[in-house]
Amino acid sequence: MPLTTADKRAAFRKMHESGCFVLPNPFDVGTAKALQNLGFKAIASTSAGFAWSIGKADNRVTVDDVCAHLTALCAAVDLPVNADFEGGFAREPQTVAANVARAVKTGVAGLSIEDSTGDNADPLYDRALAVERIKAARAAIDADRSGVMLVGRCEAFLWGQSDLTLVIDRLTAYADAGADCLYAPGIKTRDEITAVVKAVHPKPVNLLIGASGLSLNEAAELGVRRISVGGSLARMAWVGFMRAAREMAEKGTFTELAGGYPGGELNRMFG
């Protein structure tokens, strides 16, 4: 029998209690099903990967786009889905809350709220406003006792503000405001990761794997609870597509097509 939304949410919370797990990021229904087929126990959406799949730049999708995407992902797999919900698609806390309420209805087991403004000149929301946005998201999640996990994200490192003291101050404030899991994409050294884990303990930490180069076991040793890869899987898919398409366009040859994934295997997986 397919798992219910409540089952998925309960399982997702349980996964955060101990150990460390990989939370890979599909960018459409097909890749979500493939990850389930490979044995992953949960997945997370990627704002960038999804945006590229519909011909838009990252951070240029609408809340309608994302809610439709999340609904499709949740319906396609018997896995908990964590939503990359960007900054809640609004500035003011009350509108963030309204949008989070919409996201909860898609069936997600978790969702993240970022503190970045998208403005290079002033990249992070004022701390007090950022905290109020997390509180608003928490209230929206709790309104119907959904059990959805709230992830508080500090985007400072991604916007060139590599101040670990600032990051830890914000993450601890987000934890106090109701975030269940904390996330600072861009941290990469063992010292940075360890400091964040200790600062928000016992709440779990999500690590974006990239420049750190850590393995699952190495991240687990540092106390990380879950690992995501953001748009990396989407970019890997684009590598193959663009290489083959560029060869056809520029050379009129088709040698790259020989390395394609077997269609028969894809049909069996989706059959």
Side-chain angles (χ1 to χ4, degrees), residues 72-84:
L73 290 183
C74 292
V77 294
D78 282 329
L79 299 177
V81 175
N82 190 96
D84 178 344

Side-chain angles (χ1 to χ4, degrees), residues 96-268:
V96 171
N99 290 339
V100 166
R102 288 186 61 184
V104 168
K105 295 184 185 303
T106 68
V108 295
L111 65 84
S112 59
I113 295 294
E114 305 169 5
D115 59 5
S116 58
T117 64
D119 180 357
N120 286 318
D122 188 20
L124 301 180
Y125 285 113
D126 176 79
R127 182 185 184 279
L129 177 57
V131 170
E132 289 305 310
R133 287 158 46 82
I134 294 293
K135 288 181 178 178
R138 176 82 270 160
I141 288 170
D142 291 345
D144 64 356
R145 301 180 181 179
S146 66
V148 169
M149 291 192 70
L150 174 61
V151 182
R153 290 179 51 153
C154 179
E155 305 291 287
F157 271 56
L158 294 187
W159 288 86
Q161 297 189 8
S162 52
D163 182 345
L164 191 62
T165 300
L166 177 152
V167 168
I168 288 174
D169 173 67
R170 284 186 174 238
L171 291 182
T172 53
Y174 300 162
D176 291 341
D180 300 297
C181 179
L182 290 310
Y183 185 13
I187 62 171
K188 60 184 179 181
T189 70
R190 291 172 182 268
D191 287 345
E192 289 167 348
I193 296 164
T194 298
V196 167
V197 168
K198 288 182 176 179
V200 303
H201 181 80
K203 292 196 174 182
V205 169
N206 184 102
L207 177 65
L208 176 68
I209 285 293
S212 73
L214 295 177
S215 68
L216 172 64
N217 289 339
E218 288 169 334
E221 288 173 359
L222 298 179
V224 171
R225 280 282 178 264
R226 67 186 216 188
I227 293 170
S228 57
V229 298
S232 294
L233 285 174
R235 289 188 292 105
M236 288 301 298
W238 278 100
V239 164
F241 176 88
M242 292 301 292
R243 182 183 293 136
R246 185 169 284 121
E247 181 196 8
M248 289 188 288
E250 296 177 357
K251 300 180 181 179
T253 57
F254 308 91
T255 59
E256 290 290 344
L257 299 181
Y261 200 82
E265 289 189 27
L266 291 171
N267 287 333
R268 283 190 292 273

